[in-house]
Amino acid sequence: MLSIKQLSKSYQYADVRQNVLQGLDFEMDAESSIALLGESGSGKSTLLHLIAGLDRPDSGEIRFDGRRVDSEPESALAEMRREQLSLVFQQFHLISTLTITDNIRFQAALCQRFDPQYEGELIERLGLGDQLDKYPYQLSRGQQQRVAIARAMLHKPRLVLADEPTGNLDEASSLEVMGLFSDLVKRAGSGLLMVTHSQAMAAFMDRRVNLHNGRLAEIE
Amino acid sequence: MKPRFYWILKALLSHYWRHPWQTLFLSVGLVAGVGLWSAVQIINQHAEASYREAQSLLGAQASYWIRSRRDEGIEQALYIDLRRAGFRQLFPLVELEVSTPSGVSIRIIATDLLALPDDAYSDSDSPGDFSDTWVKFVQPPYRAWVPRVLADELGLKQGEQLRLRDGRLLPPALIQAREQQGRQVLIDIGAAMALSGSDRFSYLAVGPISPRDYQQLAATLPDHLELVENQQHIDLQELTESLHSHLTAMSLLSFAVGLFIVFNAVRFSLWYRRATLLDLRLMGCATHQLFSAILLETLVWSLLGTALGFALGILLAHALLPGLGASLQSLYSATVEAELGLSSMTLLQAWGITLLGLVWALGWPLYRQLQQSSLESGSSARQQQDEAIARRRLALAALVLALIAVLAYGRISSVTQGFMVLGLMLFAAAWMLPLLLAAGLRLAAWLVPRERLTMRWMVSDGWSQMPAFRSAMMALLLALTANLGVGTLVDSFRNAFVGWLEVRQSADIYLRAPRLDIQQLKASPSTASWLVDSHHRIGITTRWRGRPTLVRGIEPDAPDSLALPLSRWQGDTPAAALQAWREQAGKVLVNEQVHFLAGIEPGDRVSLETDNGLQEYEVAGVFYDYGNPYFQFYLPDRVVASNWQHHYSRGIALWLNHDNSAAMQQAEAVLKELGAQPGDWISQAQVRKLSVGIFDRTFAITAAMNALTMIVAAIALLASLLAILQERLPQFAQWRALGLRQGEQLLLVATPLLIFCAIAWLLSIPLGALLSWVLIYKLNIISFGWSMPLLWEFMPALQLAGVVIVICGLTLLLVSFQWRRKMPQALAQLGETV
C-alpha cells in the first residue's frame, strides 16, 4: 500500500541546513498498523507530512497504492487526502465554529461517503451521544480527541496517519482512547501509521519502527 | 451547489456566527467606506444631473439672452414690439435676490408662463390644460412656488406668505417638490415686478432660433441691448468641476480609511480561520476549492456592504445636500435639485469599488494563508519573522510610491492628477508607518531603564500587538493627516477670506439703485453729517480666453482701491505698483485667477476687446480674489468709461462717519428719500455675514467628512483591540494566574497602543502640513486659480491628540468590560485536565 524509497528532506534554519531524512526506505502493507518511534526532532512528523502530501521531499519517491505522492499536483494530493487518508493529531484540529455533529461528519461529507448507521455506531462506541450539539471548546480534551477519531474513521479511509494522538491525555485516558482507536481502525480495514513516544501506545500496533539519523530501523 | 462545496463554505462562514464582533467590524468598515464614498458620488452625479436639468428650466434653456449693456434691464414696450415683429421665441425673465429677516438668501425667478415656448415644460408641468393651479399662479394675489426643501428650511407652511428682510411679502406659498427648481422660488412676472417696484425685465430669453431669425433679431435690437449666447451650462460644469473633484477625493480618502478596517477585519478573519483552513486542507480540500469558497464569501460581503453602504450613502447625501446645494447656488448660481435622483450606475460603481477593495484587502493575506505548507508555519517565531519581512517590503513599496509622487509632482496639470499624487503620498506614508512603529518600539525599549522590568515588558509586548494594530494605525494616520491637512486648508482659507473681506469690503454701505447716481447723492445737502466718502463702480462683463470675465472700473482714490491686497506686483513695493496703476495710463490690475490660470505675470501685457478696438494694458499687479470663479481686470473708472460705452453701474460704495453713532440710520433715511428701495443697499456687516455664512456652509461638508473619517479610524482601533483580546486571552489568563492585576494587564495593552498612536500622530503633523501645502499651492491654484497664505497652527494638532487619547480611552474601556466578562472562563480553562 505504501512504499518509500531513498527519501530525503532537509530544512534551512538561518545559515544552517539540517538534514532530517536521509535516503529513507519504508514499506507498509494494507490494513497493517505501525508505530513510528524516535527522539524529538528526529523527523517523525516530517515523514507523516510527506506521506500525506503536505510537504515535498528533496529527493526520493513515495508511492501510495501505486501513485507517486511526491510528484502529484496539489489538487490530486488534496483528493488523495480526502478520499484515502485520515490525519489525527495531538492538537485535535477540530473546526471550532462547527458543532460536534458537523465536525464528525465533515470529512465523510467532503468525500461523499457518509454512512448514518456507521456514524451512530461510532458515536455510541466513543461515548459522544450527549455532546453532539456542543462546540469543541465546550468539551474536555479527551472528548475532543474522540471527536477527532470519529471524524477520521467515518469515511473508512485506506490509511490513517496519526501524530501523537493521545499526547494530550493522561495515561488512563490514553490507553482507553488508544484501545478504541486501534479497534476502530482494524474493523474499518484501514492501515494505521502512528507517531508516538510511548511504548505503551506502540504496543497496540502490529509493527514498531525507530527513526534515527534520518533512517528507519525495525524494532524487534 | 455541490455538497462538498457546501461543507467547505459552511465551515468557513460559521466563523462569522461564532465571532459576531468581527462580523460587525467587517460590516462597519465596508458600510462606512462605501457609505461615505457613495454619498459624495450620489451628490456629484445628482449635481451634474441638476445642471443638465437646469438647462430646461426657463431662461437657462434659452439659446441666447438679450440683456442691457448697462445693466438697466429691458423695457416692457421693447419686448412687446419684438413679439409683434414675429420673434415668438422671446420670453421675459426677472431675477431677484432677496433675503429673509434671519439672513437666508433666496433667489426668485419669474417669467410669463404664457410666453414660454412649448418645449420649455416637462410633461407634468405643461400648462396646456390650464388647471386651477396655473390660473392662481398668474393671477393676483399670485402664488409663489416654493421647493419643499426651502420651505422646510424656512419653516414655511402651505399658503403662508414669506416675509422678507425689508418687510415685503411674497405671494402665498404653494409648496411642492419641483425638481427643476432647486432652491429657487418661482413666481409670475407680474408679481415679481410688483415686488421689485420696477417696470423692467432683468433680461429676455431667446428660445430655439434659426440663423436667419437670429441675424434679423440682432439687427433689430437697439444699441443699448446685446444678444449673447447662453453659456451658463458650460460655465456651470467648468466652474463647479473642481469643487466636485475635491469632494470625490475626500470621499475616496474616507473609502480608503474604511478599507483599512476591512483589511484589518479580513486579515483577522483569515488569521482566526487559519486553523480551519489548515484542517480543511488536511482533510483533502484543494487550494482552488478554498479559494473559490473565499471568493464567494467576498462576493457576498461585497453585495452586503454595497447594499447597506449605499443605503447609508443615500442618508448621508440627504443630510449633506442642502448645505452643499445652498453653497453651489451662492458661489456659482448653480441650482442643485432638492430631491435626490439615484442611478443604477452609481450603485454598480459602488459594488465595483467595494469588490475591488475587498479583493485588495483579501488578496495578499489569503495568498499567504494558502501558501503555508507545513503545520508549524503558524509558530510565533515564524510570525515575527514574517512580520519583519512584511514591514521591510511595505517600506520598500512606500519608498517607490514616494519616489513616483516626487517625480510626478512637477508634472501635475489637472486636479485628478494632483489627487493621484496626493494619494501616492498618503499611501507611501501609511506603508512606511509599520517600520516607524517598530523603530518607535526599539527607541522606547532603549529609553526605559533596565531596572524597570514591568515597563520593559509592557513596551516589548508591543511586538506581539503590532500585527493587530498595523492596519488600524495606518487608518488612524490617514484620518489624522486628512483632518490636519484639510483643516489647515479651511482655516487658512477662512483666515485669508475674513482678512480680505476687511480690506475689500471696507465701505459701510453698498448701494445698487439704478435710479440713483453718485452725483445725486453728493448733491444732497443732508449727507454732510454722516457721509465721509463715496465712490461709484462701473464695469462690463465679457469673455477673455474663453472664460467669463469682469472688467471693473473703480475710482483710483477710493479707500479700498488704495488698500487693495496684492500677491504679486511690478516694481519695488505693492504701494508703488498701485500708485503706478492710479497715475499711469495703460496699467491694469488682474486677479490671481488671471495670473494662475492664464499665466499672466506683472509686467506682461494683456489685450482686451473694447469699443475702440483691441487695447493693450500692462499688468501692474495681481490681487487676491478668493472664491471668485471669474477673471477680473481692474482699471481706473475713467478708462472703462472711455473704452466701453455700454458699461454699466456696479453700484456705489459709501463710507460713513464713524464718529456719528446715528450715521447708518441717517444714511438709510436719505437713501429712501432719494428714491432707493429697501433691498437696494446692503451694509458691510450684512455682506460679511452673508459671505462668511456661504463660506461656512460650503465647508460644512468637509467638517462632516473629517468627523466621519475619524469615527471610522476609531472603529478600526476598537476592532484591533478586541482582536488582540480574543487572540491572547489564554495568554492573559496565564499571566493573571501568575498574579498580574487587571489594571496592569490593561496597561500592558495600553502602553504599546499609546506608543503607536503617538508615532502616528507625530507623523501626521508634517504629513498634514504637506497635504495642506499641496492643496493650497498646487491643487487650489489648478482648480480655482487662486492661492492664499498657509496658516499653520499647532492647536488643531493638539486637539487631535486629545481626540486620539479620548478614542484610546474609550476603546480601552470597552475592551476592559469585555475582559471582565471573558476572563473567568479563560481562567477556568487554564490547566484543564481530562
Side-chain angles (χ1 to χ4, degrees), chain B residues 152-184:
Chain B
D152 291 345
E153 191 182 325
L154 298 171
L156 190 66
K157 296 197 168 54
Q158 199 76 261
E160 273 184 2
Q161 288 186 271
L162 180 69
R163 187 171 293 280
L164 302 180
R165 189 167 57 89
D166 54 21
R168 290 173 295 173
L169 288 170
L170 286 188
L174 182 65
I175 300 164
Q176 52 186 27
R178 286 175 56 83
E179 290 194 347
Q180 292 177 349
Q181 239 177 286
R183 282 171 49 87
Q184 297 175 117

Side-chain angles (χ1 to χ4, degrees), chain B residues 546-805:
Chain B
R547 200 175 174 92
T549 302
L550 304 172
V551 179
R552 286 184 177 235
I554 56 177
E555 290 184 60
D557 296 326
D560 50 356
S561 303
L562 295 169
L564 199 64
L566 300 185
S567 66
R568 285 167 177 77
W569 53 87
Q570 192 182 25
D572 295 335
T573 61
L578 283 173
Q579 194 174 353
W581 170 77
R582 280 202 306 277
E583 292 171 358
Q584 297 170 22
K587 296 275 188 182
V588 67
L589 297 171
V590 302
N591 66 357
E592 276 201 317
Q593 288 75 341
V594 174
H595 165 68
F596 285 120
L597 300 181
I600 300 297
E601 298 283 347
D604 286 357
R605 300 187 76 79
V606 292
S607 299
L608 297 176
E609 185 71 49
T610 74
D611 294 347
N612 303 321
L614 211 58
Q615 296 281 328
E616 274 208 343
Y617 298 96
E618 188 178 4
V619 176
V622 178
F623 58 89
Y624 288 112
D625 199 4
Y626 305 124
N628 186 3
Y630 304 106
F631 285 156
Q632 279 212 81
F633 293 93
Y634 279 11
L635 287 164
D637 57 338
R638 61 179 187 281
V639 177
V640 174
S642 62
N643 279 311
W644 287 274
Q645 289 172 2
H646 55 272
H647 68 266
Y648 53 83
S649 167
R650 294 194 65 87
I652 301 167
L654 306 177
W655 280 263
L656 304 187
N657 180 1
H658 289 175
D659 296 335
N660 177 358
S661 58
M664 183 60 80
Q665 288 87 341
Q666 289 171 0
E668 289 184 350
V670 169
L671 291 173
K672 278 183 190 165
E673 213 172 88
L674 290 171
Q677 298 282 328
D680 282 350
W681 70 84
I682 187 164
S683 71
Q684 184 199 54
Q686 284 167 334
V687 170
R688 285 190 195 163
K689 192 180 167 195
L690 281 174
S691 304
V692 174
I694 290 169
F695 179 92
D696 288 341
R697 226 168 30 221
T698 305
F699 287 101
I701 190 168
T702 322
M705 298 282 275
N706 273 347
L708 288 168
T709 310
M710 277 308 285
I711 290 171
V712 170
I715 292 168
L717 263 188
L718 181 61
S720 299
L721 272 175
L722 287 174
I724 288 171
L725 168 75
Q726 196 165 333
E727 172 72 13
R728 301 183 63 196
L729 196 61
Q731 200 177 14
F732 290 146
Q734 283 173 23
W735 290 338
R736 179 66 72 83
L738 290 175
L740 203 69
R741 288 191 292 274
Q742 189 183 344
E744 289 170 323
Q745 216 151 39
L746 204 60
L747 211 57
L748 190 72
V749 176
T751 306
L753 172 66
L754 289 174
I755 292 172
F756 294 154
C757 285
I759 293 168
W761 175 76
L762 277 173
L763 183 60
S764 76
I765 295 174
L767 206 60
L770 184 65
L771 175 67
S772 54
W773 195 89
V774 175
L775 283 172
I776 289 172
Y777 292 114
K778 198 77 179 179
L779 290 186
N780 215 55
I781 289 170
I782 294 172
S783 306
F784 306 115
W786 45 267
S787 69
M788 59 194 150
L790 192 153
L791 176 74
W792 174 257
E793 285 178 338
F794 198 60
M795 190 46 79
L798 279 181
Q799 285 168 345
L800 276 179
V803 171
V804 172
I805 289 170

